[in-house]
Amino acid sequence: MGNQTAYQSLTRTFERLHRFGHLGAIASWDQAAMMPAKGNEARAAAQAELQVLMHQLITSPELERQLQQAEQENLNDAQRASLREMRREWQQANLLPAELVEAKTLAASRCEHAWREQRKHNDWQGFLPNFREVLRLAREEAALLAEANGVSRYDALLDKYEPDMKSAEIARIFDDVKSWLPSLIERVRAKQAGEAVIRPQGPFPVERQRELGLEAMKLLGFDFDGGRLDVSTHPFCGGVPEDVRITTRYRDDDFAQSLMGIIHETGHARYEQGLPRDLLALPVGRARSMGIHESQSLSFEMQLGRSQGFLQLLAPMLRRHFGDQPAFEAGNLARLFTRVEPGYIRVDADELCYPAHVILRFEIERALIDGEIEAEDVPALWDQKMMAYLGVDTRGNYREGCLQDIHWTDTFGYFPSYTLGAMYAAQYFATMRRLDPALDGKIGSGELEPVFGWLRDHIWSQGSRWSTDELVRRATGEALNPAHYRAHLEARYLG
């Protein structure tokens, strides 16, 4: 057997897995955006079958032999990184029996499909039986992964989204945020109480909102030959790097929700579209972690999208689509898009309140997976933490409380990624401004390539070549430093 033969065989297997994953991703997008309700059981069964097929492929004994052989082959540094990511994916898969993979897929699909109606009807009791089953299977998965990796059950699930990150480190970072965030929210609200903000006057026809969203995507460099925009219950970015699907939802009395959602999802999409094309079929060519993924969407939505320079670009676009009105003056837009008002809904939360929503979910889901609480305990804990962190009363309001997110219908360990992403994004922009003090002026004049170019060079094109810490250190000169996040929030909201 010549050099690299085993590595080449592995490459072919992972290319097959990538193509199966492609089909699964598009089927999932269709399930969320286009599929009629009666198709759900059949689609769930088809998706479960595909997951089992992929699981069989990656757990084949032949693959273990090839991984061992490839370790002995004459590989370059890039191939070694690729082999490391292949092994990581193989290890994760081999710890889970096929029956568990299938059961999880079916339970998640049932829970998510029923959740759509249960949320509308504030039906926590109806949601609970499906949720208990999803939680039972998640704990089973967590126990298997935890035992093999010598970590806590929650850390084992967290590692799927944030490789090498530990919940103790996240808790330390979040406890620090909790020590200064409530008083910052209070100070900002007191400051903003004296500011006049003109509210845009609707209605804002959905078709014009869609046209505005498409124009914003174009401004942000989305490749429409490699993706599209659609509508779903919960906005998301899905599909595959070669065919990125983003979705939003519209309300005719509020264009901002949809517009900022589209800008957010376009950040995810640009990351996918910017991944190294020659490595897309391999684990090393994928996004590094969900925190890094969220750092892209939040670079677009929060760092760029709500900056004064970008809002100057947005003002004439709003007038063109919705007519001229005083609310669309750039200074007013800046006040409008940085308005701090604690509310119920995470995806609608302002930049300052958002981390409180994430921290409470992290604390609840960690306790759930580690067995400290049960499914029935979620509403009371939710109510208590919403009141403590944001002063918002959610008692009896499940629809806008613990039923609002799609995530717990199938996923635990993901929520911390949102605030880690916000922290990474603040660190990127601190670095960009240090390297280019004229950056904000360039953004205001429509010159966005300095931002995209930096992200492309330092994040998108790197895929999973480096560990998360190493990726961020190479990009910014240091590993994650939450001080940049606090400095950003204080400068924007108190400056």
Side-chain angles (χ1 to χ4, degrees), residues 256-321:
Q257 180 192 73
S258 167
L259 176 62
M260 283 297 158
I262 287 172
I263 291 172
H264 178 99
E265 301 303 341
T266 301
H268 283 305
R270 289 294 314 267
Y271 186 14
E272 292 289 318
Q273 292 180 338
L275 289 167
R277 308 308 282 182
D278 56 331
L279 297 173
L280 284 185
L282 302 178
V284 77
R286 294 192 198 130
R288 176 62 217 155
S289 75
M290 290 321 301
I292 297 298
H293 227 310
E294 289 302 331
S295 76
Q296 301 313 295
S297 57
L298 295 171
S299 286
F300 275 54
E301 181 197 357
M302 293 301 181
Q303 294 293 330
L304 182 60
R306 291 172 198 266
S307 68
Q308 291 196 341
F310 190 81
L311 292 170
Q312 285 168 20
L313 304 178
L314 212 49
M317 290 164 60
L318 292 171
R319 286 194 286 271
R320 201 160 51 249
H321 290 284

Side-chain angles (χ1 to χ4, degrees), residues 251-458:
R251 279 174 41 183
D252 63 9
D253 63 337
D254 177 16
F255 71 86
Q257 180 192 73
S258 167
L259 176 62
M260 283 297 158
I262 287 172
I263 291 172
H264 178 99
E265 301 303 341
T266 301
H268 283 305
R270 289 294 314 267
Y271 186 14
E272 292 289 318
Q273 292 180 338
L275 289 167
R277 308 308 282 182
D278 56 331
L279 297 173
L280 284 185
L282 302 178
V284 77
R286 294 192 198 130
R288 176 62 217 155
S289 75
M290 290 321 301
I292 297 298
H293 227 310
E294 289 302 331
S295 76
Q296 301 313 295
S297 57
L298 295 171
S299 286
F300 275 54
E301 181 197 357
M302 293 301 181
Q303 294 293 330
L304 182 60
R306 291 172 198 266
S307 68
Q308 291 196 341
F310 190 81
L311 292 170
Q312 285 168 20
L313 304 178
L314 212 49
M317 290 164 60
L318 292 171
R319 286 194 286 271
R320 201 160 51 249
H321 290 284
F322 302 129
D324 198 0
Q325 51 174 285
F328 297 155
E329 183 269 320
N332 187 69
L333 287 176
R335 290 188 292 277
L336 188 69
F337 281 108
T338 55
R339 198 77 184 156
V340 174
E341 292 171 6
Y344 296 111
I345 304 294
R346 175 185 62 82
V347 294
D348 297 339
D350 59 76
E351 185 179 23
L352 212 47
C353 293
Y354 195 97
H357 289 271
V358 169
I359 291 168
L360 87 87
R361 286 158 173 77
F362 160 70
E363 291 171 347
I364 291 173
E365 71 175 13
R366 182 166 66 151
L368 272 173
I369 295 300
D370 286 343
E372 294 163 18
I373 61 169
E374 293 303 325
E376 295 80 357
D377 302 322
V378 169
L381 260 176
W382 187 286
D383 296 341
Q384 174 197 323
K385 289 177 185 291
M386 278 294 281
M387 184 54 73
Y389 300 167
L390 288 168
V392 171
D393 185 352
T394 51
R395 286 173 298 179
N397 184 357
Y398 308 113
R399 189 172 67 85
E400 295 178 306
C402 53
L403 277 182
Q404 68 180 268
D405 293 295
I406 198 172
H407 302 61
W408 285 342
T409 63
D410 75 340
T411 301
F412 296 90
Y414 188 109
F415 277 119
S417 302
Y418 290 113
T419 291
L420 292 174
M423 291 175 172
Y424 289 128
Q427 191 161 326
Y428 302 154
F429 274 77
T431 305
M432 286 184 229
R433 288 190 178 99
R434 190 177 69 242
L435 297 171
D436 183 1
L439 183 71
D440 289 293
K442 289 178 180 175
I443 291 169
S445 64
E447 199 184 328
L448 304 182
E449 184 52 35
V451 172
F452 303 148
W454 190 93
L455 291 171
R456 185 185 303 114
D457 292 346
H458 293 94

Side-chain angles (χ1 to χ4, degrees), residues 24-304:
I26 298 302
S28 290
W29 164 83
D30 177 75
Q31 191 172 15
M34 304 292 284
M35 188 190 75
K38 286 182 180 175
N40 193 65
E41 282 298 315
R43 181 64 51 87
Q47 286 283 64
E49 194 74 45
L50 185 60
Q51 291 299 318
V52 169
L53 182 64
M54 291 171 70
H55 190 262
Q56 286 168 346
L57 197 55
I58 201 168
T59 55
S60 127
E62 180 68 8
L63 214 60
E64 182 174 15
R65 190 178 61 75
Q66 289 169 354
L67 283 164
Q68 287 168 349
Q69 281 185 331
E71 292 284 1
Q72 311 307 315
E73 292 177 347
N74 182 25
L75 304 180
N76 62 33
D77 287 350
Q79 289 168 328
R80 290 253 162 238
S82 179
L83 186 60
R84 177 197 72 216
E85 292 301 308
M86 287 177 182
R87 181 171 284 282
R88 175 183 158 74
E89 203 161 290
W90 173 83
Q91 280 175 328
Q92 292 249 342
N94 272 272
L95 294 170
L96 303 180
E99 307 75 55
L100 177 58
V101 173
E102 183 176 25
K104 277 186 77 236
T105 306
L106 288 169
S109 189
R110 285 195 194 106
C111 190
E112 188 273 332
H113 190 68
W115 162 83
R116 297 182 203 181
E117 286 301 313
Q118 287 157 352
R119 184 190 174 199
K120 279 184 208 165
H121 297 111
N122 201 43
D123 184 10
W124 170 257
Q125 289 306 317
F127 177 73
L128 205 45
N130 283 335
F131 182 52
R132 280 198 199 101
E133 179 62 6
V134 167
L135 178 60
R136 183 184 72 77
L137 293 167
R139 284 172 170 174
E140 195 177 317
E141 177 188 13
L144 289 169
L145 296 175
E147 189 179 348
N149 296 319
V151 295
S152 76
R153 287 197 294 186
Y154 183 73
D155 279 4
L157 297 186
L158 177 66
D159 191 70
K160 291 165 62 176
Y161 307 104
E162 299 300 323
D164 307 323
M165 180 63 89
K166 297 288 182 281
S167 58
E169 172 69 0
I170 290 174
R172 186 187 64 74
I173 291 170
F174 285 180
D175 284 348
D176 176 61
V177 173
K178 277 158 60 176
S179 76
W180 53 260
L181 185 65
S183 66
L184 180 58
I185 291 173
E186 223 169 90
R187 281 153 65 207
V188 171
R189 294 194 77 202
K191 174 178 177 275
Q192 291 185 349
E195 294 176 355
V197 178
I198 305 167
R199 298 280 174 186
Q201 297 304 303
F204 306 101
V206 165
E207 192 46 48
R208 287 190 203 155
Q209 287 193 56
R210 178 178 158 76
E211 288 164 9
L212 171 66
L214 291 169
E215 190 178 344
M217 289 166 70
K218 187 178 176 186
L219 176 65
L220 293 167
F222 183 87
D223 177 5
F224 285 96
D225 289 333
R228 51 182 287 143
L229 171 69
D230 291 280
V231 174
S232 69
T233 309
H234 187 98
F236 69 93
C237 175
V240 289
E242 308 92 325
D243 180 7
V244 182
R245 307 297 178 93
I246 73 175
T247 68
T248 190
R249 56 185 174 201
Y250 299 103
R251 279 174 41 183
D252 63 9
D253 63 337
D254 177 16
F255 71 86
Q257 180 192 73
S258 167
L259 176 62
M260 283 297 158
I262 287 172
I263 291 172
H264 178 99
E265 301 303 341
T266 301
H268 283 305
R270 289 294 314 267
Y271 186 14
E272 292 289 318
Q273 292 180 338
L275 289 167
R277 308 308 282 182
D278 56 331
L279 297 173
L280 284 185
L282 302 178
V284 77
R286 294 192 198 130
R288 176 62 217 155
S289 75
M290 290 321 301
I292 297 298
H293 227 310
E294 289 302 331
S295 76
Q296 301 313 295
S297 57
L298 295 171
S299 286
F300 275 54
E301 181 197 357
M302 293 301 181
Q303 294 293 330
L304 182 60

